[in-house]
Amino acid sequence: MKGVGVSPGIGHGPAYVLATVVPEPPEGLTYDGDADDEKARAQAALQQVAGALESRGHQAGGEARSILQAQALMAADPGLAVGVKSLIDRGVAAPRAIYEAFEKYREMLIGAGGYLGGRAADLDDVRDRAIALLTGQPLPGVPSEAAEPYVLVARDLAPADTAVLSKDVVAAFVTEEGGPTSHTAILARALGVPAVVACPGATTIPPGASVLVDGTSGEVRLAPSEDDVAEAEHAASIRQAAVDATRGPGRTRDGFPVALLANVGRPADLDPALANGAEGVGLYRTELLFLDRAEAPSLEEQEAAYRAVLESFPGGKVVVRTLDAGADKPLRFLPASGGEPNPALGERGLRLFRAFPDVMASQLAALAAAVVGTEAELQVMAPMVATAEEARWFVNACRTAGLDSAGVMIEIPAAALRAESLVTVADFVSIGTNDLAQYTFAADRQLGALTALQDPWQPVLLDLVAGTATAASDNGKPCGVCGEAAADPELACVLVGLGVTSLSMNAHALPAVRAALAASTLGDCQLAAQAARAATTAAHARAAARAYLPGLADLGL
């Protein structure tokens, strides 16, 4: 079988096929007794689900914690509770009332698209857990212990299924749905577990069947022979040894420097970044400090969180993305934010900052205070910038707050196409390839069916990167990439060939990217970039670039 590799490595073991084990309650299901008692039963089930998810999030920590906290909020959502109670008042039994109320909300999320659309699977998981509690069925889930590591196969995976797993339990993930930025992909990379998503027919794999998963190529092989497994593991060990042998700052074989940075969101992300040789932080997602809270974090709390990251990289660069929330990631303490009919195109990022200047002022002040006395180079950038006027406004706000380096993210086609006008006012630019691909192709990045359009090898996306990097270079400004594209060793070389000066990625991807650059000259990268841009499809672009990067084959990459 063939899917999309989203977390590199080789995984082998028996298949554990996660099926939907909670059936839909029958239509017309009614209850005997008092309506208030039935409402209390439904509410108790939802509260128990919320508490269990919250507890599991605390146990898991890291990326999983924020994801599960958001899922717990779904279970406790007042709007859903009102819908459930209304159905019970009409005689519908609690299990069916929860199913119908959640189904209506689910349709709203899918219609919204973007981040909210991608949360429909999370909502399904909350619904199924509540129904299982009400009907006495086993809760959905996967074994957290096993005699040997297994390959977890599913249509899709809810965060609660994967949050408390480890490499000791799971050899690999395979899902029929999802994309490079789905929760399965994010958590798999954080765990360092190979993963393949968007793999048609994966759930037809017989439970217990032996499976070999290549998280790099996306290949899923059933019933591999001992020789197949040995060959794959040998190739992986050679690749890992070659990768581990490359140390030090990022640079090409002929010495062209390329800063290799880490994407972080919480303190738990710092240790892996340092262990894998990150030279700094290229994307600090500060919104994780703000989400799922009834009140905004104080200036002092923000300052302490930012200082912890800055102090971890003395002499290094730390690029902080200001609050990327609102619309598709609404803030509970800003009731006016969110609720648009199309949140992916709504009031978020810099647009939210302009609507709520007190939130902006507090964050910028906390950043200015946090850098005092540290040796890090602080750079602050705004997300969702579309025009030069917006860039100028943000830079002026940073200057007023005492911040010396202010940049903007390039993730909207309008910004990429007119990058020249943005780099003349901003100190640097950073390209977010995930959203840039989503908006360029009108393809929701959470939908596995549209994975081909989200492929960062799409030549038109490379054109937008090239135009942005050229505009930055012509104006003497740095241009980084902080999207998932930077984590692909081959594509990292192409990005450098396009003129990108720094690459930021999940910490576990740093060694392979460092090795790929060290095996290629700047000329190799430039020729590979030219060949990729001349192609007509993403697959052809990758193949064309590969021909000019012979050093990667020697590494087994």
Side-chain angles (χ1 to χ4, degrees):
M1 296 179 174
K2 183 73 173 178
V4 178
V6 294
S7 184
I10 297 294
H12 168 252
Y16 181 91
V17 183
L18 182 64
T20 302
V21 296
V22 181
E24 174 185 340
E27 290 187 41
L29 183 66
T30 59
Y31 60 91
D32 297 323
D34 184 70
D36 288 339
D37 290 342
E38 193 71 2
K39 292 176 188 176
R41 214 164 69 87
Q43 187 63 26
L46 290 170
Q47 287 176 348
Q48 186 173 338
V49 170
L53 291 169
E54 186 82 24
S55 175
R56 184 170 286 203
H58 282 294
Q59 179 185 350
E63 290 271 8
R65 179 176 180 177
S66 60
I67 292 170
L68 286 170
Q69 284 177 336
Q71 206 175 353
L73 285 173
M74 290 179 173
D77 184 271
L80 280 169
V82 169
V84 171
K85 291 175 181 177
S86 175
L87 286 163
I88 291 174
D89 280 334
R90 287 155 47 190
V92 180
R96 184 67 195 184
I98 285 177
Y99 182 87
E100 291 185 13
F102 273 62
E103 188 65 17
K104 182 178 180 181
Y105 204 68
R106 184 182 192 276
E107 291 172 0
M108 291 170 59
L109 291 183
I110 292 175
Y115 180 87
L116 291 179
R119 302 287 70 76
D122 300 354
L123 193 70
D124 291 347
D125 184 57
V126 173
R127 175 200 66 199
D128 289 348
R129 288 173 183 275
I131 292 172
L133 286 172
L134 287 167
T135 56
Q137 300 177 65
L139 288 173
V142 297
S144 58
E145 297 180 359
E148 63 175 312
Y150 57 82
V151 174
L152 181 55
V153 181
R155 181 182 61 82
D156 201 358
L157 288 169
D161 293 325
T162 56
V164 295
L165 298 177
S166 70
K167 293 179 72 171
D168 297 330
V169 175
V170 178
F173 296 110
V174 181
T175 63
E176 289 186 345
E177 298 184 0
T181 57
S182 66
H183 282 157
T184 300
I186 293 169
L187 294 175
R189 285 191 289 267
L191 290 171
V193 172
V196 173
V197 301
C199 183
T203 55
T204 64
I205 296 174
S210 179
V211 182
L212 179 66
V213 178
D214 188 331
T216 302
S217 69
E219 182 178 289
V220 178
R221 190 180 306 182
L222 305 186
S225 67
E226 291 185 5
D227 288 344
D228 291 335
V229 175
E231 181 181 343
E233 291 181 343
H234 178 65
S237 66
I238 292 176
R239 179 166 63 232
Q240 192 61 51
V243 165
D244 291 343
T246 306
R247 306 277 181 179
R251 60 185 64 250
T252 61
R253 197 172 77 213
D254 50 344
F256 182 76
V258 181
L260 297 182
L261 312 170
N263 295 343
V264 304
R266 293 188 181 277
D269 299 331
L270 294 174
D271 285 344
L274 293 166
N276 285 286
E279 299 168 50
V281 172
L283 173 62
Y284 178 10
R285 303 182 182 96
T286 60
E287 62 271 15
L288 297 184
L289 190 62
F290 290 77
L291 295 176
D292 310 328
R293 300 179 61 136
E295 296 180 356
S298 67
L299 190 149
E300 292 76 18
E301 183 182 351
Q302 290 188 60
E303 180 184 342
Y306 305 149
R307 183 179 291 274
V309 177
L310 291 162
E311 289 179 340
S312 297
F313 293 95
K317 178 166 62 175
V318 174
V319 182
V320 176
R321 180 175 71 188
T322 55
L323 183 59
D324 186 17
D328 59 345
K329 290 178 280 188
L331 300 174
R332 292 169 64 195
F333 56 86
L334 294 180
S337 72
E340 294 104 340
N342 193 343
L345 307 178
E347 193 174 61
R348 55 171 283 202
L350 183 67
R351 300 167 186 176
L352 183 78
F353 250 24
R354 300 189 80 165
F356 298 95
D358 290 347
V359 175
M360 178 200 70
S362 176
Q363 183 169 34
L364 296 185
L367 286 165
V371 75
V372 175
T374 71
E375 299 176 21
E377 178 190 351
L378 173 63
Q379 296 187 319
V380 183
M381 64 181 181
M384 291 296 288
V385 173
T387 68
E389 183 276 329
E390 291 177 340
R392 184 176 295 106
W393 181 87
F394 177 73
V395 171
N396 289 339
C398 288
R399 297 282 191 267
T400 300
L403 297 165
D404 297 330
S405 182
V408 298
M409 289 194 70
I410 304 294
E411 47 193 344
I412 299 174
L417 291 169
R418 298 301 297 267
E420 182 79 28
S421 64
L422 274 69
V423 296
T424 56
V425 296
D427 297 313
F428 67 94
V429 292
S430 185
I431 303 172
T433 52
N434 300 350
D435 270 332
L436 185 57
Q438 173 174 245
Y439 293 131
T440 298
F441 292 100
D444 190 329
R445 64 194 235 186
Q446 297 288 343
L447 295 182
L450 301 180
T451 295
L453 292 175
Q454 301 151 6
D455 193 326
W457 281 94
Q458 287 283 359
V460 69
L461 189 65
L462 300 180
D463 288 344
L464 294 175
V465 173
T468 302
T470 298
S473 177
D474 289 348
N475 286 273
K477 305 290 178 67
C479 174
V481 166
C482 60
E484 291 299 324
D488 179 336
E490 287 177 283
L491 189 50
C493 293
V494 168
L495 294 173
V496 170
L498 294 174
V500 169
T501 56
S502 68
L503 300 167
S504 189
M505 64 205 74
N506 179 283
H508 293 288
L510 286 163
V513 171
R514 182 182 294 109
L517 291 174
S520 310
T521 66
L522 178 59
D524 292 338
C525 295
Q526 291 169 335
L527 290 172
Q530 292 173 15
R533 290 184 65 192
T536 56
T537 69
H540 291 159
R542 181 186 283 273
R546 183 80 184 192
Y548 292 95
L549 300 170
L552 273 61
D554 296 335
L555 292 171
L557 294 173

